[in-house]
């Protein structure tokens, strides 16, 4: 078998060329080509050694495969890619073994080589899975600790933020934004976690960076990176798709904050707009903190809110048709014709109702500034009544 040993470098080169830039994760972004060659060479040497002595690999000869499994798991290379890399090396070696056979029908060396590669691959897989499970546990703990700190507004050191961010592969000094997704009531205790995974997968396919999340109390909290001081342009479309699902009733987006450490502020914004949305009765839509600032301000001072509602629309409290007309005019951008269609009445009826609203409240619902105040008060009339 001396002739086989003399071809180690050739086989290493041929196998490495088949693998590099072919399988996902086997690129210079994760590790150097020389590292690939090292482990390919180790596999070739072990297999050729087993063929020379007609024996199976020892535990010590499998040690590098176990080392490689843990290393590739830490590097984030998919297990399927690592297995394909082993199979590519196996193919190169087997072709050489078959070409070097003295008897055309001889199969013992081929079977021995296959057995060696099976042992190497299985050792790598076991090590990869063990390391991957350990890493998942570490990441889950870091994600839970970080999102707990952000949602509860706990005072933490920047060093802790950086440590969590390093484990989760996120940049702690980049601007970020928080989104909260309300979930439908369900008897399935795993439903929240399933939806959380689906939301994270959808977002990570569309927005930059890693998304960290937390599920509990009937909603999912998401923190994601932003690059230009505002939520990613693709965020709206992804959230709209998620809200259309039957297990999500609304999405609420906070304002962008300067860094991950300020994430609690964005979370607080999202929770405040969530409270506004729940009071409004409007479900299955995406709400942004900035678009609901007036509502948020009103909700922050219940006494002022009640006074505002009573002053603006107190005279309409027992006139549901006039309140409905207010809503229709606001939804239809002051168009009386469109409002009439929405209300299933004649356009003249809308005009008469608008006049009556003006008489009762002193504000003209056909004037934008007046309609804005009337509509805002109407949105909070249920709070006032309660």
């Amino acid at each position: 078998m001396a002739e086989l040993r003399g071809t180690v470098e050739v086989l290493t080169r041929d196998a490495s060329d088949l693998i590099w830039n072919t399988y996902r994760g086997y690129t210079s972004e994760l590790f150097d080509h020389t590292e690939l060659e090292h482990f390919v060479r180790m596999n070739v040497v072990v297999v050729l050694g087993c063929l020379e002595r007609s024996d199976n690999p020892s535990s010590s000869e499998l040690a590098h495969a176990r080392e490689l499994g843990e290393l590739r798991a830490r590097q984030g290379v998919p297990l399927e890619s690592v297995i394909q890399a082993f199979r590519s090396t196996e193919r190169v070696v087997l072709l050489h073994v078959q070409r070097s056979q003295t008897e055309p029908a001889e199969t013992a060396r081929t079977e021995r080589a296959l057995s060696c590669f099976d042992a190497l691959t299985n050792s790598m897989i076991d090590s990869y899975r063990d390391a991957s499970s350990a890493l998942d546990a570490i990441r889950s703990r870091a994600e839970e600790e970080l999102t707990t700190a952000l949602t509860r507004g706990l005072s933490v050191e920047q060093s802790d933020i950086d440590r969590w961010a390093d484990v989760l592969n996120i940049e702690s000094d980049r601007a970020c934004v928080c989104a909260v997704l309300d979930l439908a009531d369900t008897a399935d205790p795993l439903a929240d976690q399933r939806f959380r995974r689906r939301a994270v997968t959808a977002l990570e396919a569309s927005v930059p960076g890693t998304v960290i999340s937390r599920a509990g109390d009937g909603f999912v909290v998401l923190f994601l990176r932003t690059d230009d001081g505002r939520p990613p342009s693709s965020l709206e479309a992804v959230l709209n798709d998620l809200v259309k699902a039957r297990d999500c009733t609304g999405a609420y987006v906070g304002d962008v904050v300067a860094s991950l450490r300020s994430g609690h502020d964005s979370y607080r914004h999202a929770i405040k707009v969530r409270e506004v949305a729940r009071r409004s009765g409007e479900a299955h839509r995406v709400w942004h903190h900035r678009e609901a600032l007036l509502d948020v301000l009103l909700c922050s001072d219940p006494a002022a809110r009640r006074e505002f509602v009573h002053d603006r629309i107190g005279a309409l409290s027992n006139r549901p048709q006039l309140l409905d007309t207010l809503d229709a005019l606001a939804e239809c951008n002051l168009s009386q014709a469109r409002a009439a269609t929405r209300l299933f009445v004649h356009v003249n009826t809308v005009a008469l109702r608008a006049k009556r609203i003006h008489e009762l409240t002193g504000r003209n619902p056909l004037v934008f500034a007046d309609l804005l105040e009337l509509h805002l008060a109407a949105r909070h009339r249920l709070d006032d009544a309660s």
Side-chain angles (χ1 to χ4, degrees):
M1 300 295 292
E3 71 280 4
L4 289 179
R5 281 197 174 277
T7 62
V8 168
E9 293 305 318
V10 174
L11 296 176
T12 298
R13 182 197 65 211
D14 291 349
S16 297
D17 289 346
L18 279 177
I19 298 166
W20 193 246
N21 288 328
T22 299
Y23 304 117
R24 191 156 62 95
Y26 280 87
T27 65
S28 57
E29 295 175 356
L30 293 180
F31 57 89
D32 193 77
H33 188 276
T34 56
E35 182 183 294
L36 170 63
E37 289 184 327
H38 167 72
F39 284 105
V40 169
R41 185 180 295 107
M42 294 289 288
N43 280 346
V44 172
V45 168
V46 168
V47 174
L48 295 186
C50 291
L51 291 177
E52 186 174 20
R53 65 176 187 266
S54 298
D55 196 5
N56 292 323
S58 64
S59 178
S60 61
E61 289 177 313
L62 298 175
H64 77 278
R66 293 191 290 270
E67 177 190 351
L68 177 64
E70 179 178 343
L71 180 61
R72 293 293 182 257
R74 289 182 178 277
Q75 292 169 333
V77 179
L79 177 58
E80 294 78 7
S81 294
V82 189
I83 293 173
Q84 289 290 349
F86 269 60
R87 294 310 180 200
S88 293
T89 306
E90 178 184 69
R91 176 187 175 192
V92 169
V93 173
L94 287 179
L95 288 173
H96 185 81
V97 169
Q98 290 172 352
R99 286 195 297 266
S100 66
Q101 289 178 167
T102 56
E103 298 293 334
E106 186 180 354
T107 61
R109 285 190 295 177
T110 300
E111 291 175 355
R112 177 74 63 186
L114 286 170
S115 178
C116 289
F117 270 109
D118 285 343
L120 288 166
T121 304
N122 289 336
S123 294
M124 178 277 296
I125 291 173
D126 290 343
S127 177
Y128 184 104
R129 287 176 173 163
D130 288 344
S132 184
S133 296
L135 289 169
D136 285 345
I138 292 171
R139 291 190 189 103
S140 294
R141 180 175 178 179
E143 186 173 29
E144 180 67 20
E145 290 176 348
L146 175 55
T147 54
T148 297
L150 294 179
T151 54
R152 294 183 181 177
L154 303 180
S155 177
V156 294
E157 298 295 330
Q158 184 61 44
S159 58
D160 290 326
I161 294 286
D162 293 338
R163 174 173 56 84
W164 290 323
D166 184 59
V167 171
L168 297 168
N169 191 31
I170 56 179
E171 298 170 271
S172 62
D173 59 344
R174 298 293 288 269
C176 73
V177 66
C178 176
V180 173
L181 305 181
D182 252 341
L183 302 179
D185 293 335
T186 174
D188 183 356
L190 298 179
D192 291 5
Q193 294 298 336
R194 283 199 298 268
F195 182 81
R196 172 191 178 186
R197 289 195 295 271
R198 191 162 84 247
V200 170
T201 299
L203 284 167
E204 289 190 332
S206 304
V207 303
T210 301
V211 176
I212 59 173
S213 63
R214 188 168 187 264
D217 300 324
F219 60 90
V220 171
V221 182
L222 305 155
F223 292 92
L224 51 146
R225 193 184 90 191
T226 64
D227 288 331
D228 55 2
R230 55 185 177 183
S233 57
S234 55
L235 177 62
E236 189 79 12
V238 175
L239 292 181
N240 272 312
D241 287 341
L242 291 170
V243 167
K244 291 176 183 176
R246 64 181 181 180
D247 41 5
C248 181
T249 60
Y252 320 101
V253 184
D255 291 341
V256 172
V257 291
S259 67
L260 190 60
R261 191 174 186 181
S262 305
H264 176 67
D265 290 336
S266 187
Y267 167 75
R268 185 168 47 83
H269 298 157
I271 290 299
K272 284 184 176 296
V273 76
R274 176 176 180 251
E275 294 171 358
V276 168
R278 286 187 159 188
R279 288 188 176 98
S280 74
E282 294 183 45
H284 296 284
R285 57 163 288 197
V286 179
W287 290 73
H288 292 267
H289 182 252
R290 287 188 178 277
E291 77 178 17
L293 271 177
L294 286 175
D295 297 274
V296 171
L297 289 172
L298 283 173
C299 291
S300 65
D301 189 335
R305 183 188 66 241
R306 286 192 292 270
E307 182 180 350
F308 174 78
V309 171
H310 180 73
D311 179 72
R312 298 307 190 268
I313 62 166
L316 307 181
S317 58
N318 295 319
R319 294 173 170 82
Q321 289 183 331
L322 299 185
L323 290 169
D324 289 343
T325 302
L326 271 181
D327 291 339
L329 285 169
E331 294 293 331
C332 297
N333 297 318
L334 293 172
S335 170
Q336 296 180 63
R338 289 170 55 197
T341 301
R342 180 180 289 253
L343 295 168
F344 301 101
V345 298
H346 194 275
V347 67
N348 290 343
T349 301
V350 173
L352 289 172
R353 289 181 182 178
K355 181 180 179 181
R356 184 58 176 157
I357 292 170
H358 192 180
E359 292 171 350
L360 290 170
T361 66
R363 287 172 174 79
N364 186 354
L366 301 181
V367 174
F368 175 77
D370 287 352
L371 177 61
L372 177 63
E373 291 193 16
L374 291 168
H375 180 57
L376 189 59
R379 282 166 64 114
H380 291 271
R381 65 184 180 272
L382 295 180
D383 295 330
D384 185 46
S386 62

